[in-house]
Amino acid sequence: MVAKLDDLLPELIDAGDNGLGKTAIKNRFAGKSKERQAELTEKLGALIRSGAIWGPVKRKGADVYFASGRGPSIETASGVINTLVQRSGVKLLSKAGLEKKVVGVNRRFFADGLKHAISSQRIVELSCGSSKYYLHREVATDYFGFTETGVAQEKATAAPVAAETHVVKPSLTLEDILPAYRRLKAENGGFSAVDIYDLLLALNVRKEELHRLLIEENKAGRVAIHHTTSLNVSREAVEAAIRLPGVAEPFITVVVKNESWTHLKTRWR
């Protein structure tokens, strides 16, 4: 006997970071019934559009779905990279060698996870010609005398020079848009899908800058951008929508999957 479709979300939540494979979901919630399979496909689509779940992600050739805020991300990939570099000790890992060790669902986030691990100063990137090698910060501190004080002094020395040249405005981040997103969501009666156009007006930022952020965060799995099934879409909403190469329809709305998410600060811990 197949399970109720209403139990799909609770079971995905219970699955946590392991998620549920598409085949397992199909067997449990649809079985061999074509009618139930169609209903399941519709249910999965509705949960994705609402931001309650995301996926699929390839894991060993299988499609896997996760509850919002669970599963692989830039942060989980960064954590895996940090552990691998730490275990390597004084034996430097090359970029190619490190990438080979990041397997499974975190592999798709390797590039961004590596940047995150470096920017948060958990690992140090060393260059030798065109090659890149990586060393854990604790190893760097123990063996090469890198200290938090030394980093702070270096930044303090460089600060006056930067002040005399120009100040670069930091790029828009997910943290920057969350207050406006939450307000618009509340105005929508709690419905998670917010029009990109409304978000653009609320933030008063350049469309290109907001699009860049949303595309990056969509790839990272923290937000989801969607087409619309409504026929009553304003011209302004269409003009503010995201258009991606090879995709005919514009992306009109955005859902933040985990609103409590915040970036790790770039500092020595």
Side-chain angles (χ1 to χ4, degrees):
M1 184 176 180
V2 295
K4 296 178 180 179
L5 290 178
D6 288 342
D7 292 334
L8 175 57
L9 179 57
E11 291 201 14
L12 277 166
I13 293 173
D14 289 342
D17 290 335
N18 292 323
L20 291 176
K22 187 174 182 179
T23 300
I25 291 173
K26 179 180 175 181
N27 291 338
R28 176 153 176 74
F29 293 94
K32 296 182 179 181
S33 169
K34 297 294 183 183
E35 183 179 352
R36 288 282 294 184
Q37 289 175 16
E39 292 175 354
L40 175 60
T41 298
E42 185 177 345
K43 180 68 173 180
L44 281 170
L47 289 172
I48 291 173
R49 288 192 296 274
S50 70
I53 69 172
W54 70 282
V57 173
K58 287 289 184 184
R59 181 171 66 192
K60 295 182 180 179
D63 290 332
V64 183
Y65 293 86
F66 302 89
S68 179
R70 306 306 299 267
S73 66
I74 290 176
E75 285 73 25
T76 59
S78 177
V80 170
I81 290 168
N82 175 66
T83 300
L84 288 169
V85 175
Q86 185 176 33
R87 288 176 179 173
S88 184
V90 294
K91 183 180 179 181
L92 299 180
L93 278 172
S94 68
K95 185 174 183 179
L98 181 58
E99 185 171 8
K100 288 180 181 179
K101 292 178 178 291
V102 180
V103 297
V105 291
N106 284 303
R107 189 172 185 82
R108 64 179 291 192
F109 298 102
F110 172 77
D112 289 329
L114 180 60
K115 291 177 184 177
H116 188 280
I118 295 170
S119 65
S120 61
Q121 298 187 14
R122 292 191 290 175
I123 67 173
V124 179
E125 183 177 76
L126 306 173
S127 298
C128 181
S130 60
S131 300
K132 304 291 185 183
Y133 296 88
Y134 301 95
L135 184 69
H136 195 267
R137 69 176 177 105
E138 292 179 359
V139 178
T141 299
D142 292 340
Y143 286 86
F144 303 103
F146 289 7
T147 63
E148 295 186 26
T149 304
V151 173
Q153 289 176 344
E154 182 180 350
K155 289 181 178 178
T157 304
V161 177
E164 292 173 3
T165 53
H166 64 280
V167 177
V168 179
K169 184 180 179 181
S171 299
L172 190 68
T173 67
L174 184 57
E175 288 175 299
D176 295 331
I177 74 171
L178 280 178
Y181 173 83
R182 290 182 180 126
R183 176 172 59 80
L184 291 169
K185 177 181 173 181
E187 292 174 359
N188 283 346
F191 187 61
S192 298
V194 168
D195 282 0
I196 294 173
Y197 172 67
D198 291 338
L199 191 58
L200 193 61
L201 289 181
L203 293 168
N204 192 28
V205 297
R206 293 187 302 109
K207 180 172 72 173
E208 295 77 13
E209 188 174 9
L210 179 59
H211 283 189
R212 174 199 59 78
L213 173 68
L214 294 182
I215 291 170
E216 289 178 355
E217 297 296 334
N218 182 67
K219 290 179 180 178
R222 286 188 289 264
V223 310
I225 54 176
H226 301 293
H227 310 297
T228 181
T229 56
S230 173
L231 298 177
N232 300 316
V233 181
S234 67
R235 177 177 58 82
E236 292 83 0
V238 174
E239 291 177 351
I242 293 174
R243 294 183 180 274
L244 298 179
V247 181
E249 295 184 21
F251 294 86
I252 302 289
T253 62
V254 59
V255 172
V256 177
K257 296 181 178 180
N258 184 357
E259 295 173 45
S260 64
W261 179 90
T262 55
H263 286 288
L264 291 174
K265 301 299 181 183
T266 303
R267 65 175 184 267
W268 290 94
R269 295 186 184 277

